[in-house]
């Protein structure tokens, strides 16, 4: 997978710089080419001679070579590489990357990079946990950079916690996975609804539900990483989306989700309706906060639009529609009924009777049901479940 691939390896001033030597060895063994760009502090931890001996290339550190004045073009490096890996990445380098402070060759190369960037942080646990570092990592994610999370264990300071740079073999695995990723959804537009809806009662209260959005966001990430242009219509959730191919539209009520979905679906190739949409909404929204009274309060509710059924009605032969069913009893027959009623191509069933499935969990246990029958899957992470669902969607699309 990595044979012939060209990597710029950025090394910064962390004790984990010694692991960069192992990383280079592993990449070269796989048939890759490695060009090291090192910060001045990085050279305090590992010598350029070690690195150039391993890569068979001079190590770049300054903008030009002191000896003969050769200019090192960060722009050319940005065009040459298939990927840039910054390992180890210190808090300082991560901060400069997030804020575009181009005061060394590594950061200018990063800013000129046309290829995907992988960042493997390495630092003490408190530095890693600091809100400034976390905010900077969040910013890098929002730029589409891939953060290779550090591991937990004993650190150079002898403290124990999260901050150890990921092991070189695992970094190689991340790269192999990235380069083996199919772009089977390139040029496809997919709309995904996710999260709960909030139905206003008065200016401070609403009817909502416990949906976390985790499943819908995992599906959005999976589709985007396979090349799709994703429109993520999201109810109010605490989730963040990382991938640059995801265009997120925030909505609050079932009505807003419905009108956005109806607008976005006609030129889409598929719709995945993962949101837990309220089935009823208050007839009227009180303009002032409803005051406590002695009598019971009766809220008159009216049905919302069924987004899935509405899209099922306008769906063309070429378009595919996937729904979800969260059931507590008679799971399969309820799901079969929804499949037909909403004109879906398949429905993903989760049962609240399965431990680890449904709202809030990081895991899910699903059964995929179509007109012909059903396929059950074991309990998996929502990320892995997303892969199964999208693999199945691809079978419908192609
Ligand atoms: O009928 P039920 O709500 O159980 O159906 C679940 C499926 O229908 C899910 O895919 C959900 O996103 C979708 N749905 C919808 N609009 C609604 C209610 C449910 O799109 N108003």
């Amino acid at each position: 997978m990595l044979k012939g691939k060209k990597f710029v390896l950025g090394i910064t001033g962390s004790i984990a710089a010694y692991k960069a030597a192992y990383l280079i060895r592993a990449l070269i063994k796989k048939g890759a080419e490695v060009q090291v760009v090192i910060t001045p502090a990085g050279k305090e931890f590992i010598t350029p001679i070690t690195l150039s001996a391993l890569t068979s290339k001079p190590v770049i550190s300054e903008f030009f070579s002191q000896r003969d004045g050769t200019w090192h073009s960060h722009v050319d490096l940005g065009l040459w590489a298939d990927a840039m890996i910054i390992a180890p990445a210190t808090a300082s380098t991560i901060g400069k990357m997030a804020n575009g402070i181009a005061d060394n060759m590594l950061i200018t190369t990063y800013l000129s990079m046309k290829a995907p960037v992988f960042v493997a942080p390495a630092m003490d646990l408190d530095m890693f946990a600091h809100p400034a570092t976390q905010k900077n990592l969040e910013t890098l994610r929002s730029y589409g950079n891939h953060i290779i999370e550090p591991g937990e264990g004993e650190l150079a300071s002898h403290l124990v916690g999260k901050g150890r740079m990921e092991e070189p073999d695992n970094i190689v695995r991340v790269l192999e996975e990235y380069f083996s990723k199919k772009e089977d959804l390139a040029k496809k537009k997919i709309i995904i609804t996710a999260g709960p809806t909030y139905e206003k009662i008065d200016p401070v209260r609403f009817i909502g539900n416990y949906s976390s959005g985790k499943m819908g966001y995992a599906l959005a990430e999976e589709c985007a990483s396979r090349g799709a242009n994703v429109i993520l219509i999201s109810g109010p959730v605490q989730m963040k989306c990382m991938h640059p191919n995801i265009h997120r539209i925030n909505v609050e009520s079932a009505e807003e989700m419905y009108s956005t979905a109806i607008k976005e679906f006609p030129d889409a190739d598929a719709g995945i309706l993962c949101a837990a949409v309220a089935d009823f909404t208050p007839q009227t929204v009180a303009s002032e906060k409803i005051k406590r009274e002695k009598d019971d309060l009766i809220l008159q509710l009216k049905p919302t639009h069924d987004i899935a059924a509405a899209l099922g009605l306008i769906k063309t032969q070429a378009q595919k529609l996937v729904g979800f069913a969260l059931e507590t009893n008679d799971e399969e027959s309820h799901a079969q009924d929804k499949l037909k009623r909403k004109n879906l191509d398949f429905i993903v069933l989760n049962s609240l009777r399965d431990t680890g499935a449904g709202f809030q969990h990081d895991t899910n246990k699903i059964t995929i049901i179509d007109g012909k029958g059903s396929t059950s899957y074991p309990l998996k992470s929502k990320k892995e479940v997303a892969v199964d669902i999208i693999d199945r969607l691809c079978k419908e699309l192609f």
Side-chain angles (χ1 to χ4, degrees), residues 24-306:
I24 294 168
R25 284 289 300 138
L27 290 171
I28 300 240
K29 262 198 200 153
K30 298 271 178 190
E33 255 185 88
V34 182
Q35 171 63 62
V36 170
V37 178
I38 192 165
T39 62
K43 287 192 284 188
E44 302 289 334
F45 288 90
I46 187 163
T47 76
I49 295 169
T50 306
L51 299 166
S52 60
L54 289 170
T55 57
S56 312
K57 288 184 197 300
V59 167
I60 299 174
S61 176
E62 311 296 338
F63 291 102
F64 55 88
S65 159
Q66 294 287 2
R67 201 152 25 98
D68 58 7
T70 312
W71 173 250
H72 297 134
S73 168
H74 50 91
V75 177
D76 287 351
L77 278 175
L79 294 168
W80 172 82
D82 291 302
M84 181 173 191
I85 314 153
I86 300 163
T90 56
S92 161
T93 288
I94 289 167
K96 287 183 195 174
M97 288 164 69
N99 294 287
I101 300 169
D103 67 348
N104 64 39
M105 186 64 189
L106 192 152
I107 309 286
T108 49
T109 305
Y110 165 70
L111 291 177
S112 317
M113 191 48 60
K114 295 267 190 208
V117 177
F118 295 80
V119 183
M123 65 199 75
D124 207 46
L125 74 162
D126 293 313
M127 291 178 82
F128 183 72
H130 196 283
T133 309
Q134 289 304 315
K135 188 164 139 256
N136 289 331
L137 286 170
E138 221 34 74
T139 304
L140 295 187
R141 286 195 182 96
S142 74
Y143 299 160
N145 299 163
H146 305 264
I147 310 301
I148 304 175
E149 287 286 321
E152 292 202 26
E154 191 178 350
L155 304 166
S157 59
H158 302 299
L159 295 172
V160 177
K162 189 167 178 176
R164 282 163 69 117
M165 187 182 106
E166 185 53 284
E167 293 307 323
D169 284 347
N170 291 340
I171 296 178
V172 170
R173 220 161 287 141
V174 169
L175 295 169
E176 283 183 322
E177 198 182 305
Y178 179 84
F179 283 104
S180 67
K181 212 55 182 179
K182 304 163 263 184
E183 283 266 305
D184 46 5
L185 289 175
K187 301 207 174 75
K188 298 281 180 211
K189 174 178 170 180
I190 300 191
I191 72 160
I192 299 177
T193 65
T197 62
Y198 285 1
E199 308 302 319
K200 265 198 163 126
I201 297 171
D202 68 15
V204 294
R205 302 183 180 96
F206 60 84
I207 300 171
N209 61 66
Y210 293 118
S211 170
S212 61
K214 284 179 186 165
M215 193 65 246
Y217 276 64
L219 286 161
E221 289 283 339
E222 179 59 20
C223 289
S225 73
R226 287 160 84 149
N229 163 27
V230 179
I231 306 292
L232 177 60
I233 307 171
S234 175
V237 290
Q238 295 299 322
M239 305 285 298
K240 291 211 163 65
C241 42
M242 313 301 177
H243 204 288
N245 287 4
I246 302 175
H247 175 60
R248 170 172 164 176
I249 304 175
N250 291 325
V251 295
E252 193 175 283
S253 63
E255 185 59 33
E256 282 170 25
M257 191 172 271
Y258 167 77
S259 52
T260 312
I262 286 285
K263 184 165 152 267
E264 293 292 340
F265 186 62
D267 65 341
D269 297 280
I272 306 177
L273 304 160
C274 195
V277 190
D279 291 323
F280 295 93
T281 191
Q283 275 283 1
T284 51
V285 180
S287 54
E288 308 290 344
K289 186 177 168 195
I290 299 171
K291 296 282 175 299
R292 177 189 283 275
E293 304 269 358
K294 283 207 186 77
D295 294 336
D296 294 348
L297 172 71
I298 296 171
L299 284 176
Q300 186 80 29
L301 304 178
K302 61 177 182 188
T304 55
H305 288 286
D306 187 326

